[in-house]
Amino acid sequence: MRHIISVLMENEPGALSRVVGLFSQRGYNIESLNVAPTEDSSLSRLTLTTVGDERTIEQITKQLNKLIDVVKLVDLTEGAHIERELMLVKVRATGAQRAEIKRCTDIFRGQIIDVGTSVYTLQITGTADKLDAFLEAVGDAAVLEVVRSGVSGVARGEKVLSL
Amino acid sequence: MEMLSGGEMVARALEDEGVEFIFGYPGGTVLHIYDALFQSGKVPHILVRHEQAATHAADGYARATGKTGVVLVTSGPGATNAITGIATAYMDSIPMVVLSGQVQSHLIGDDAFQETDMVGISRPIVKHSFLVKKTEDIPSTIKKAFYLASSGRPGPVVVDIPKDITNPTDKYEYIYPEKVKLRSYTPANRGHAGQIKKAVQLLLNAKRPVIYSGGGVVQGGGSELLTALARELNYPVTNTLMGLGGYPGTDRQFLGMLGMHGTYEANNAMHHSDVILAIGARFDDRVTNTPNKFCPTAKIIHIDIDPTTIAKTIDVDIPIVGPVESVLSDMLKQVKDRCAKTPALPDREALQSWWQQIDEWRENHGIYHSPRYDLDSGFIKPQQAIETLYRVTEGNAFVTSDVGQHQMFAAQYYRFNQPRRWINSGGLGTMGFGLPAAMGVKLAFPDADVACVTGEGSIQMCIQELSTCTQYKVPVKIINLNNGYLGMVKQWQDMQYSGRYAQSVYEDSLPDFIKLAEAYGHVGIKVEKLDDLEDAMKEAFSLKDRLVFMDIYVDRHEHVYPMHIAPNGSMRDMWLSKTERS
Ligand SMILES: Cc1ncc(C[n+]2csc(CCOP(=O)(O)OP(=O)(O)O)c2C)c(N)n1
Ligand SMILES: [Mg+2]
């Protein structure tokens, strides 16, 4: 199953390489990863998605927790949560395609953020599934470049991941 | 206010930390530190002949004393030479602090002379690591390194120090922190009360129990409590390779080592048990044999300080995360209370028939019941060499070992009654470990007998340390079980490759070890006949202040048994001799 693991860790040089190294060292896979400092600049928030059976996921969370730089973590998929990913897509947009792509973008509640004579740059946010669906709707032929942020997420309701 | 240079801070911090020995080797990037150590003269430094040996010596010191071993090496090749020893310590959870020099800060990343990314290279084999950026950070970083290395599940910590921040002319205020706290690091200090209660309940109702304890009991100071608990219950105990000495090896309740070369009775007791109490052990693949055939009828209680060891390879029923010492003391108390209230516990009748079964296994195939090797071969059997060592040292020596058949024979036939006496590279299986480790032990315990059981293959991996032993007068005894082969490799080739000895033979290239020992100023004793063995061994140990290299010619074709049948075997599936299977 796919899991979203959200990690609060020391904003120190080397911390990220320890997390990434752990995954390659122990043969776990990372599907997506994003990381940035939080409102407390001494902490970074790292979110990763991974796939594995129950035992693997348990090991992953335990091994992550064992890293000295990791302060706290949560497997968001264990409870109700919100997941978002940002995608920037450059698509070929000429002639009749221009209107078609605009329509499709609207349906997915995306925005056109840059316009060229033959290309649009689009921004779409949503779950990873939604972004996949959008790409499928637009079709491979039109897509020139895709940049995805990787999944980030938070738990629903009162629950927070903080010190 | 005390103003010190970075180099002085390192020297001073080690002194403030109470470090007894530094094992190291100098080079460009650590010269400021070496000069500061030279000038202060407070912490003795042992100059090894290869950085790998510095890590093994610090490791041996740590295993024997329980204190943190300290290593100091230069950047580049000095640092990379230390890697094998760091990995060795990591696999066996040994507290160690490795200080490595680094090129000057402004050169980092430029492929400067003797630059290597030590933090990067060592990352998968350290508990944690630091690259120190500022002189002012040296004391607190060293403090953190010692704290991390020695607390929780111990392990090696690397502190990489760029040369420029140790510059003798740049002085800063020196304050060595009394304590450190890391918000992201909080090792458990007690086991969960509810889990312990459940565990005691299960344990007391067992009909065929076995206690399986590992290196965590030795490291975590849990031996006495384990012994008390096992005796209170009259339950059988088996130890892992790393756990030997955690329970008295000559005790009636001791079944010997378990696993790939474990005893018949230990492996069978595990396989047929209904409750396993695993303490400070990690269900290593050399213990379990095929995981899905592991102990099919057992419920498992697992105590460990490190949550990642729990349910890593084998699912357990009652996990308890905590230091073995506190968990065992909680358990022992509850066991005593429960037994006092309910005299029917534990089930004595069930236990009696369990012991009967175990004794039968012992009689039929146990290595301690009667010799399982050929007594009339005309050769010195390696087992006999270890038995002789055991007798001559009255079971009280510190025994380090290298890796191979000799290691397994030592583990099987030297019966350790105390923890921290058996010092070997269990997890990584590092040939070359034995001699430098023995140096570290002997320096810590100058009056004790320290024997390094080795093979003619392994000893050559760190033989240069004979010179260190000369310089510092470290009179260890080297017990070289010379079978003229990479014996353990040959054994596998005999068993699985129809005796094709691919690169496990040396032709006639072995050195004359006696002359070699003598060249370094030591004593060499060659033993070729069984009749001479005991007297020669006695002579070696009577030479208290000399390093003696005993070159013992043992049967070249002996195998280590029992041996798990793999792949697809269970705990109880073993070869018992070259022709006999369980
Ligand atoms: C550094 C290293 N390289 C290779 C091995 C693989 N290995 C395990 S045992 C062994 C043979 C050891 O030979 P020797 O020291 O003579 O011991 P014996 O088995 O003959 O008693 C080898 C090569 C190892 N454990 N460590
Ligand atoms: Mg050999």
Side-chain angles (χ1 to χ4, degrees), chain B residues 52 84 382 402-409 425 428-433 453-461 480-492 503-504 506 510 554 556 560:
Chain B
Q52 179 183 348
T84 300
D402 270 301
V403 174
Q405 292 183 316
H406 61 273
Q407 172 192 29
M408 292 300 125
F409 288 129
S425 166
L428 198 69
T430 309
M431 291 171 68
F433 176 81
V453 173
T454 186
E456 78 299 319
S458 295
I459 193 67
Q460 294 187 79
M461 284 217 181
N480 186 36
L481 304 190
N482 192 336
N483 54 13
Y485 285 110
L486 295 173
M488 189 55 95
V489 172
K490 171 182 169 291
Q491 174 167 346
W492 285 53
Q503 305 302 320
S504 54
Y506 327 89
L510 287 173
V554 296
R556 303 189 68 190
V560 183

Side-chain angles (χ1 to χ4, degrees), chain B residues 71-90:
Chain B
V71 175
L72 174 56
V73 294
T74 192
S75 65
T80 55
N81 272 353
I83 290 294
T84 300
I86 298 173
T88 303
Y90 179 72

Side-chain angles (χ1 to χ4, degrees), chain B residues 74 127 161 178 191 193 207 241 292 294 338 354 381 384 429-430 517 569 581:
Chain B
T74 192
K127 182 168 175 186
I161 309 173
E178 292 258 309
K207 309 251 180 263
L241 177 66
N292 60 19
F294 179 73
R338 292 281 315 268
W354 183 226
K381 287 286 179 179
Q384 292 174 309
T430 309
R581 296 169 62 134

Side-chain angles (χ1 to χ4, degrees), chain B residues 173-184:
Chain B
E173 188 183 2
Y174 174 84
I175 303 167
Y176 198 63
E178 292 258 309
K179 263 200 182 144
V180 273
K181 238 187 111 146
L182 292 159
R183 62 181 174 183
S184 58

